[in-house]
């Protein structure tokens, strides 16, 4: 009698399969597919109940990916550049959800720039992932606003305009969590996705994600080859979820421990100089300097603790607004009559 | 005793409670507060009064007119001419003086304005509004503000407004600022006293206590709509400031502080977000509606233009959301502070591709409240955007209305499957028409059942909400959506019909055009012997009663406030079998519609028809 193969399960008894989605329709080798796998692993490891997560996105190859992970979570593929507003609506309607937003560099750095900035400004409860390939994948390779100055595109056109750096911008706009990663560095990426989920507020995660079809040529600064040579991790990252004990095997003083909102920890072993991700001025300086040296800094670039989230700013009740009933939404007859009397 | 000093008493004055007063002032000088005191005092005297505030898109220094019409027949339109003028603004003087005719009564600021008393038969009262204010109040700002209150005092003495009532109104208006009460009372007294001592009444106009408006409330349309939102259960409001819609959302905020706030914790059972633009505002409302809250946005035409892409998404992906459109004059920035019914077509078919949206058209204060409250049930029942179209005339003017009643109707949350429902099911398909009414079942994110989740998208989808570009799938879903919208009228407020067995001519109107129609119908019958029957549309898609009504008439006149016959066009499109019977009285110049425009158009078509 053949023995049934027991699939491994996570702490809430679900198999990895239960975190997967439909088969991807993206090009094989597309960086976005690695991010999809990273998200699946991160959510599986954390033991997130799929129904407690909402997947939100804009339009683009990147924004299609929520269909390819977490089939058991509600998903909303909205319009181009407007994922953050959908996320804001969802977070206020149901404060118990984890909002996982997926966007692209076209989606966030151009058409959606306003919403990107204002989600940060409000500290919307959102894991905001930008799958950044320096190009408009879905419309076949036009330059995006994150493409480097004088970069070449697939058709050998030269980019005339300066590049926007979404992490730098996020920090300037008051982000409470700003990080960059590379889809080719699964370990770092997963640690940052987990930390972003544990963060209370808007977590900006810009992930360089090569477009193999339109922007992975030799000269591309968002391609695999360039990234392999120029990716400079700021720290070696270890994520310790709230349900695990922290065991540190580093020398004292070598590791910075960042405690996150839900009690989990992000352990940072410094690799680059004396980098301190809680120092805003230093963070901006370091990014700027690295750019001059053609380095792509990855890791947790900036983190600020204890900033009130949008829920707190709006003084929302504990009960999700979607669950309020007639009784809580309507005043008493007496209070209504008192108000009506003031109109005379 | 109060009136005995005036040569003509209320009894002797021949025209009672039946004249208009037009005040010409400058915006930003506090005239609105004075005018509201004037208006409310008349209402408390029981006199049927309507008010129209004609103000510029500017914060300070441009001409503003305020027209107050007392009318025993209880009409609410603005008159073409006013019998009494109050001139305080030098800027508009030249224009205003052109309106002065034989019999017009002119109160003007003197010293201050140079008013040549040249129109024969006009009655001139030079009055020192600004001088009295200057001499009696020290701060410059106060002097400007109270000049307006001084003319209210003068009006009170000249036309016999009960001073006691004015005092009460002032007390109630400024109940939280006692210092303001004293200066306002003093300003009233100054004007009143001056007229009593120095003016001999030469005109026939007077106010006299009546019972028509006793117990009525005085309220702006946007306040009524806002109250409708709160009573209708709105729990997420996202908006971006725009005249004439801002005060709608601002009043929701105010009412929420009274009704939704826990005094102990300060927590509020509502999220009100001022978005970065209208695209974000509608996005937030759609996100919240999708996640299960009763969500809305309030805006005007330019905002609707920006929201178009998202509105199409909500239609196609079937997300409930309420959009209150307080219409103003377009195209473009247009006349931002003037009224129009210019978004009828825009809202009915907003966004690219084939769409058709539920639109509701309140025409009165009571309807602004009730229809807005109901709109949340309709949106959730039909899982689609619902537009509530009012306009600047309704939204930003003070109206008298019967006190609004508590919204008793329990909320209809529509077809939503809970965990328990899903536990009994083997599978769930979001866009499956299992009841045959075109309305499918939805689930909220956060529902703890493995079948609950589905993927919402604006791209082509099949019954299982899976991506598809298949021609048959696309066509089938679009036809099911059409069925849903076609069957929707049973959930929408029916048209209001006023039968008239003797009439061959029918009038169809919408929203605030109603007020001109009421008056025009009386005029047609009393002056021209023309009987009409009347139908007022309150929802799109149209009820079958509208078609029946047109069938029953020889011809109908569709009255609306825009140039391009927007409502007429939709009626002609939807009711091709009666196209030749449908005539249009479509007129817009930014001012509230005048009855004479309706009367003239009907007379014109009638003479051609005969
Ligand atoms: C309003 C609007 N304008 C344009 C488009 C066309 N469009 C689709 S995807 C896209 C760019 C996507 O680029 P990005 O966000 O970087 O995603 P990627 O495909 O590179 O992952 C554009 C311009 C659209 N869908 N909607
Ligand atoms: S076009 Fe580029 S971004 Fe789109 S799927 Fe292919 S590789 Fe990925
Ligand atoms: Mg891109």
């Amino acid at each position: 009698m053949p023995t049934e193969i027991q699939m491994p399960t996570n702490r809430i008894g679900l198999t990895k399969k239960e975190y997967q989605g439909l088969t991807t329709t993206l090009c094989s080798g597309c960086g976005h597919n690695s991010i999809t796998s990273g998200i699946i692993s991160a959510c599986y490891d954390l033991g997130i109940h799929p129904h407690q997560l909402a997947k939100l996105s804009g339009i683009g190859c990147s924004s299609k990916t929520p269909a390819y992970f977490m089939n058991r979570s509600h998903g909303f593929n909205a319009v181009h550049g407007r994922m953050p507003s959908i996320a804001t609506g969802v977070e206020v309607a149901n404060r118990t959800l984890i909002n996982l937003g997926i966007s692209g560099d076209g989606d966030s750095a151009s058409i959606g720039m306003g919403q990107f900035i204002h989600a940060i400004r409000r500290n919307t409860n959102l894991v905001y992932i930008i799958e950044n390939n320096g190009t408009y994948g879905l419309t076949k390779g036009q330059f995006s606003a994150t493409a480097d100055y004088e970069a070449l595109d697939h058709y050998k056109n030269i980019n005339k305009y300066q590049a926007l750096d979404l992490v730098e911008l996020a920090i300037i706009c008051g982000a409470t969590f700003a990080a960059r990663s590379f889809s080719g560095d699964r370990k770092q990426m997963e640690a940052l996705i987990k930390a972003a989920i544990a963060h209370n507020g808007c977590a900006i995660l810009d992930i360089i994600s090569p477009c193999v079809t339109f922007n992975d040529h030799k000269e591309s600064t968002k391609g695999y080859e360039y990234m392999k040579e120029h990716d400079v991790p700021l720290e070696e990252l270890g994520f310790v979820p709230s349900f695990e004990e922290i065991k540190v095997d580093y020398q004292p003083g070598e590791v910075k421990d960042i405690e996150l909102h839900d009690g989990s920890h992000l352990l940072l072993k410094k690799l680059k100089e004396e980098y301190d991700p809680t120092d805003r001025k230093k963070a901006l300086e370091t990014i700027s300097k690295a750019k001059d040296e053609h380095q792509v800094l990855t890791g947790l670039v900036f983190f600020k603790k204890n900033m009130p989230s949008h829920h707190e700013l709006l003084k929302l009740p504990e009960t999700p607004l979607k669950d309020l009933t007639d009784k809580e939404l309507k005043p008493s007859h007496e209070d209504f009559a008192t108000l009506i009397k003031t109109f005379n | 005793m109060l009136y005995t000093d005036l040569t003509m008493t209320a009894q002797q004055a021949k025209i009672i409670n039946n004249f208009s007063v037009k005040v010409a002032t400058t915006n930003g000088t506090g005239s609105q507060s004075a005018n509201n005191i004037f208006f409310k005092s008349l209402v408390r005297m029981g006199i049927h009064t309507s008010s129209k505030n004609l103000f510029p898109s500017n914060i300070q220094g441009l001409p503003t007119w305020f027209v107050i019409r007392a009318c025993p027949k209880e009409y609410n339109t603005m008159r073409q001419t006013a019998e009494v003028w109050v001139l305080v603004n030098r800027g508009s003087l030249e224009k205003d003086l052109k309106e002065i005719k034989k019999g017009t009564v002119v109160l003007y600021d003197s010293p201050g304005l140079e008013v040549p008393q040249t129109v024969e038969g006009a009655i001139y009262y030079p009055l020192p509004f600004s001088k009295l204010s200057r001499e009696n109040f020290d701060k410059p700002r106060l002097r400007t503000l109270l000049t307006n209150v001084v003319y209210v005092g003068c009006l009170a003495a000249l036309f016999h407004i009960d001073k006691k009532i004015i005092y009460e109104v002032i007390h109630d208006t400024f109940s939280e600022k006692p210092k303001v009460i004293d200066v306002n009372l003093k300003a009233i007294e100054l004007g009143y006293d001056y007229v009593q001592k120095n003016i001999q009444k030469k005109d026939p106009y007077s106010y006299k206590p009546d019972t028509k408006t006793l117990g009525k409330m005085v309220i702006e349309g946007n306040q009524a709509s806002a109250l409708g939102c709160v009573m209708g259960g709105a729990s997420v409001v996202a908006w971006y400031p725009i005249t004439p819609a801002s005060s709608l959302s601002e009043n929701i905020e105010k009412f929420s502080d009274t009704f939704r706030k826990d005094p102990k914790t300060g927590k509020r059972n509502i999220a009100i977000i001022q978005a970065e633009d209208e695209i974000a505002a509608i996005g937030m409302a759609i996100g919240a509606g999708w996640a299960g809250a009763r969500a809305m946005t309030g805006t005007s035409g330019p905002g609707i233009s920006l929201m178009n892409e998202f509105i199409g998404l909500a239609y196609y992906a079937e997300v409930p959301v309420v959009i209150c459109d307080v219409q103003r004059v377009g195209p473009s920035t247009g006349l931002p502070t003037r009224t129009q019914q210019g978004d009828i077509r825009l809202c009915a078919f907003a966004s690219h591709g084939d769409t058709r949206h539920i639109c509701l058209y309140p025409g009165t204060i009571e309807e602004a409240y009730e229809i807005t409250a109901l709109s949340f049930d309709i949106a959730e029942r039909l899982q689609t955007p619902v537009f509530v179209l009012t306009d600047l005339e309704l939204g930003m003017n003070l109206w008298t209305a019967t006190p609004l009643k508590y919204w008793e109707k329990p909320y209809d949350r529509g077809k939503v499957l809970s965990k328990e429902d899903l536990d009994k099911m083997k599978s769930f398909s979001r866009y499956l028409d299992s009841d045959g009414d075109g309305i499918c079942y939805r689930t909220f994110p956060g529902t703890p059942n493995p079948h609950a989740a589905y993927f919402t998208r604006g791209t082509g989808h099949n019954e299982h909400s899976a991506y598809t570009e298949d021609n048959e799938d696309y066509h089938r879903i679009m036809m099911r959506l059409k069925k849903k919208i076609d069957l929707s009228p049973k959930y929408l407020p029916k048209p209001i019909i006023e039968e008239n067995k003797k009439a061959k001519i029918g009038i169809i109107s919408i929203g605030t055009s109603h007020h001109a129609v009421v008056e025009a119908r009386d005029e047609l019958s009393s002056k021209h012997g023309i009987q009409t029957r009347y139908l007022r549309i309150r929802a799109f898609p149209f009820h079958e009663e509208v078609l029946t009504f047109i069938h029953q008439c020889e011809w109908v006149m569709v009255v609306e406030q825009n140039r391009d016959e927007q409502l007429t066009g939709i009626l002609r499109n939807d009711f091709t079998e009666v196209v030749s019977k449908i005539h249009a009285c479509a007129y817009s110049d930014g001012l509230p519609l005048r009855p004479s425009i309706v009367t003239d158009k009907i007379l014109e078509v009638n003479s051609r028809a005969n």
Side-chain angles (χ1 to χ4, degrees):
Chain A
M1 217 168 92
T3 46
E4 224 174 277
I5 301 166
Q6 200 70 44
M7 293 289 282
T9 57
N10 66 1
R11 70 187 185 109
I12 61 163
L14 296 182
T15 63
K16 195 133 181 191
K17 204 163 172 290
E18 285 159 300
Y19 289 83
Q20 280 162 357
L22 304 171
T23 310
T24 175
T25 61
L26 302 186
C27 305
S28 75
C30 174
H32 302 351
N33 286 329
S34 314
I35 302 174
T36 296
S37 309
I39 292 169
I40 293 171
S41 298
C43 292
Y44 172 82
D45 289 352
L46 290 176
I48 286 171
H49 287 281
H51 73 268
Q52 285 177 339
L53 184 137
K55 309 174 289 184
L56 314 162
S57 64
I59 297 289
C61 295
S62 36
S63 291
K64 283 185 177 187
T65 63
Y68 314 138
F69 60 84
M70 311 251 333
N71 248 353
R72 289 194 179 184
S73 300
H74 275 72
F76 197 151
N77 181 195
V79 288
H80 196 19
R82 319 297 177 193
M83 176 278 288
S85 61
I86 293 287
T88 307
V90 174
E91 67 147 354
V92 297
N94 185 352
R95 60 179 298 167
T96 65
L97 295 173
I98 296 164
N99 288 311
L100 181 60
I102 306 290
S103 180
D105 44 322
D107 204 57
S108 278
S110 289
I111 192 168
M113 177 53 86
Q115 298 211 346
F116 168 80
I117 286 176
H118 286 275
I120 293 169
R121 181 180 152 249
R122 293 190 184 93
N123 208 15
T124 297
N125 252 306
L126 172 66
V127 177
Y128 191 145
I129 296 177
I130 302 111
E131 305 192 345
N132 186 352
N133 52 17
T135 187
Y136 285 17
L138 194 56
T139 50
K140 299 193 188 254
Q142 298 84 359
F143 284 121
S144 83
T146 64
D148 284 296
Y149 180 57
E150 295 193 330
L152 288 180
D153 73 1
H154 181 63
Y155 314 96
K156 305 272 181 250
N157 300 307
I158 301 170
N159 181 26
K160 299 187 272 298
Y161 304 121
Q162 295 175 58
L164 293 175
D165 182 324
L166 293 177
V167 171
E168 193 177 10
L169 204 63
I171 299 170
I172 290 169
C173 295
T176 51
F177 183 115
R180 173 168 290 134
S181 193
F182 169 44
S183 66
D185 183 349
R186 278 287 291 275
K187 185 170 174 280
Q188 186 200 50
M189 176 173 64
E190 280 181 32
L192 286 171
I193 293 172
K194 289 174 187 172
I197 290 174
H199 181 61
N200 184 36
C202 190
I204 298 294
L205 184 45
D206 179 35
I207 307 180
I208 308 299
S209 174
C211 167
V212 290
T213 306
F214 297 112
N215 202 18
D216 194 32
H217 45 91
K218 249 188 142 66
E219 300 86 352
S220 166
T221 57
K222 300 279 191 292
Y224 284 114
E225 203 177 308
Y226 184 90
M227 275 308 286
K228 284 203 182 105
E229 281 165 21
H230 297 85
D231 178 358
V232 180
L234 284 162
E235 321 96 344
E236 195 176 284
L237 294 176
F239 181 83
V240 185
S242 58
F243 49 86
E244 272 174 26
E245 208 183 314
I246 326 181
K247 287 195 208 101
V248 191
D249 51 8
Y250 301 113
Q251 297 296 320
E254 210 183 11
V255 167
K256 187 170 174 78
D257 175 0
I258 287 192
E259 193 185 354
L260 296 155
H261 183 71
D262 69 347
S264 51
H265 293 259
L266 194 59
L267 305 176
L268 317 173
K269 185 180 173 207
K270 289 165 211 157
L271 294 177
K272 178 140 170 103
E273 299 161 14
E274 272 302 286
Y275 193 71
D276 177 5
T278 59
D279 181 339
R280 190 157 178 254
K281 226 169 105 196
K282 188 79 192 287
L284 287 169
E285 264 171 35
T286 312
I287 295 186
S288 163
K289 192 157 153 264
K291 269 196 284 193
D292 293 343
E293 294 163 5
H294 299 284
Q295 294 181 337
V296 182
L297 294 184
T298 57
L300 182 66
V301 184
F302 181 70
F303 176 78
K304 189 166 183 182
K305 219 183 156 166
N306 295 333
M307 288 295 283
S309 71
H310 198 202
H311 295 147
E312 291 154 306
L313 295 173
L314 288 172
K315 292 191 178 292
L316 295 187
E318 294 307 314
T319 316
L321 294 177
K322 77 163 178 67
D323 292 330
L324 298 176
T325 63
D326 298 43
K327 200 169 159 280
E328 290 127 338
L329 293 170
K330 283 187 203 172
S332 70
H333 283 75
E334 292 71 36
D335 286 350
F336 183 79
T338 309
L339 179 89
I340 290 297
K341 278 202 202 96
T342 62
F343 290 99
N344 62 2
Chain B
M1 280 307 285
L2 286 175
Y3 306 133
T4 46
D5 289 342
L6 297 172
T7 32
M8 200 180 292
T9 65
Q11 283 72 36
Q12 290 168 296
K14 285 184 209 74
I15 300 171
I16 292 163
N17 296 351
N18 194 10
F19 59 100
S20 294
V21 177
K22 190 162 179 177
V23 183
T25 57
T26 323
N27 79 316
T29 58
S31 56
Q32 197 173 358
S33 152
N35 294 335
N36 289 353
I37 292 170
F38 176 26
F39 177 67
K40 288 183 179 181
S41 300
L42 295 182
V43 175
R44 285 200 197 177
M45 282 175 73
I47 302 165
H48 182 87
T49 321
S50 60
S51 72
K52 306 288 175 217
N53 189 8
L54 309 175
F55 59 100
S57 175
N58 178 270
I59 302 304
Q60 207 177 70
L62 289 185
T64 301
W65 293 272
F66 185 71
V67 191
I68 282 201
R69 178 185 183 191
C71 176
K73 288 190 174 153
E74 305 188 29
Y75 296 143
N76 287 314
T77 66
M78 195 181 81
R79 296 301 302 253
Q80 208 100 352
T81 52
E83 287 82 358
V84 178
W85 277 78
V86 181
L87 304 177
V88 196
N89 180 15
R90 181 175 291 117
S92 63
L93 189 62
E94 205 180 320
K95 186 176 175 189
D96 296 335
L97 287 176
K98 291 202 180 104
E99 306 264 339
I100 310 304
K101 299 183 194 64
K102 186 175 175 214
T104 308
V105 181
V106 187
L107 286 68
Y108 64 97
D109 191 26
S110 173
L113 300 184
E114 296 300 324
V115 174
Q117 303 196 357
T118 46
V119 178
E120 203 185 320
I123 298 158
Y124 295 92
Y125 298 123
L127 295 164
F129 308 136
S130 51
K131 182 167 176 271
L132 284 173
S133 187
R134 210 167 38 242
E135 286 170 358
N136 287 280
F137 304 106
D138 49 2
K139 294 193 192 82
R141 176 75 190 149
L142 212 54
R143 288 173 175 172
T144 321
L145 291 173
L146 294 168
T147 298
N148 301 300
V149 184
V150 173
Y151 71 66
V152 175
C154 294
L155 284 166
L158 261 173
F159 304 113
H160 314 135
I161 306 172
D162 190 337
K163 209 161 64 169
K164 224 176 72 218
I165 289 181
I166 299 185
Y167 283 12
E168 281 166 20
V169 170
I170 289 174
H171 272 282
D172 292 351
T173 306
F174 304 110
S175 59
E176 273 139 45
K177 307 177 224 169
K179 269 201 207 137
V180 181
I181 295 180
D182 292 343
V183 288
N184 273 276
L185 294 182
K186 185 167 174 198
I188 292 286
E189 202 57 57
L190 287 167
Y192 199 95
D193 206 47
Y194 182 87
V195 167
Q196 281 202 322
K197 293 205 176 105
N198 304 290
I199 299 293
Q200 192 179 5
K201 190 171 168 72
K202 294 175 280 190
D203 67 85
Y205 300 107
S206 175
Y207 295 115
K208 197 177 136 187
D210 196 352
T211 54
K212 290 198 163 66
T213 52
L214 294 182
K216 291 227 173 168
M217 68 194 297
V218 173
I219 186 168
E220 287 173 11
N222 282 346
Q223 292 176 316
S225 300
L227 197 56
C229 291
V230 176
M231 295 305 284
S235 58
V236 176
V237 179
W239 68 291
Y240 187 77
I242 185 167
T243 306
S246 298
S247 60
L248 198 163
S249 300
E250 284 158 357
N251 275 296
I252 295 178
E253 181 108 45
K254 227 191 240 170
F255 299 143
S256 299
D257 274 338
T258 325
F259 288 162
R260 296 275 183 86
K261 199 165 168 175
D262 181 336
K264 277 187 243 110
T265 62
K267 294 197 172 180
R268 237 172 30 178
N269 284 335
I270 189 167
I272 303 175
I273 309 164
Q274 188 186 317
E276 56 270 36
D277 56 34
E278 286 88 346
I279 302 176
I282 186 74
M284 290 173 192
I286 290 171
W290 176 76
R294 297 205 130 186
M296 61 126 353
T297 182
T299 188
S300 189
I304 305 280
S305 289
L306 281 181
M307 292 175 184
N308 264 264
E309 187 188 18
F310 250 137
I311 292 166
L313 171 71
Y315 171 81
Y316 192 36
E318 302 182 63
V319 182
V321 60
V322 170
I323 303 161
C324 293
D325 176 8
V326 188
Q327 299 165 94
R328 67 186 214 185
V329 174
S332 190
T333 307
L335 311 180
T337 59
R338 296 286 188 263
T339 196
Q340 188 171 69
Q341 296 179 314
D343 302 344
I344 296 174
R345 195 171 47 201
L346 173 68
C347 292
F349 307 107
S351 208
H352 53 278
D354 289 320
T355 64
R356 215 162 229 263
H357 303 294
I358 309 296
C359 296
L360 311 175
Y361 311 105
T364 63
I365 290 293
E366 291 81 354
E367 288 179 352
Y369 169 65
E370 285 170 12
I371 290 180
T372 307
L374 185 69
S375 69
F376 292 90
D377 282 1
I378 297 169
E380 289 205 305
R381 173 54 48 188
L382 294 168
Q383 301 174 16
T384 198
V386 172
F387 289 88
V388 185
L389 289 97
T390 59
D391 57 25
L392 183 140
E393 184 192 357
L394 180 60
M396 289 192 72
N397 282 307
L398 280 177
W399 298 73
T400 52
T402 26
L404 301 175
K405 291 193 192 71
Y406 191 89
W407 185 251
E408 302 283 356
K409 188 175 183 294
Y411 299 148
D412 174 10
R413 305 296 319 260
K415 296 187 189 179
V416 178
L417 296 174
S418 65
K419 174 194 184 301
E420 290 69 30
D421 298 327
L422 290 158
D423 286 348
K424 291 178 223 136
M425 298 164 65
K426 285 197 190 70
S427 64
F428 161 63
S429 292
R430 168 67 180 94
Y431 298 113
L432 200 64
D433 183 10
S434 41
D435 297 341
D437 58 357
I439 307 171
C440 310
Y441 287 83
R442 61 183 189 131
T443 56
F444 296 152
T447 309
N449 177 294
H451 300 307
Y454 67 96
F455 200 79
T456 308
R457 51 170 91 247
T459 42
H461 46 268
N462 62 17
E463 282 74 2
H464 317 294
S465 67
Y467 180 78
T468 177
E469 293 176 12
D470 182 86
N471 57 323
E472 286 178 12
D473 283 346
Y474 170 77
H475 185 257
R476 206 174 50 249
I477 293 285
M478 287 303 287
M479 293 314 283
R480 200 260 305 153
L481 278 171
K482 177 168 159 46
K483 173 162 97 180
K484 176 174 89 167
I485 300 296
D486 285 349
L487 293 175
S488 66
K490 70 171 173 197
Y491 299 108
L492 314 179
K494 279 184 182 268
I496 293 186
I497 301 176
E498 284 177 37
E499 268 309 341
N500 183 343
K501 293 254 146 51
K502 288 181 277 178
K504 292 181 199 142
I505 300 171
I507 300 177
I508 294 179
S509 89
I510 185 168
T512 51
S513 292
H514 172 63
H515 304 286
V517 171
V518 169
E519 203 169 330
R521 289 183 72 214
D522 283 359
E523 204 173 286
L524 281 165
S525 122
S526 66
K527 286 202 194 134
H528 305 279
I530 295 175
Q531 301 296 315
T532 54
R533 42 158 65 95
Y534 177 35
L535 178 144
R536 182 158 59 89
I537 288 173
R538 299 197 299 166
F540 175 77
F542 306 124
H543 289 78
E544 60 181 41
E545 283 88 338
V546 181
L547 181 60
T548 313
F549 178 84
I550 302 174
H551 272 305
Q552 287 165 349
C553 299
E554 229 161 64
W555 54 272
V556 296
M557 181 63 73
V558 181
V559 181
E560 54 183 315
Q561 297 174 67
N562 53 61
R563 183 192 67 180
D564 286 349
E565 310 183 356
Q566 300 189 11
L567 175 65
T568 315
I570 305 174
L571 285 166
R572 284 180 181 144
N573 182 70
D574 283 16
F575 300 140
T576 43
E577 61 267 54
V578 289
V579 160
S580 60
K581 287 187 173 197
I582 302 175
H583 296 265
C585 172
Y587 182 86
S588 171
D589 59 6
L591 296 182
L593 187 64
R594 276 85 72 205
S596 59
I597 293 166
V598 181
T599 315
D600 292 351
K601 190 76 198 176
I602 288 178
L603 290 175
E604 181 197 316
V605 175
N606 192 46
S607 67
R608 267 193 277 140
N610 288 336

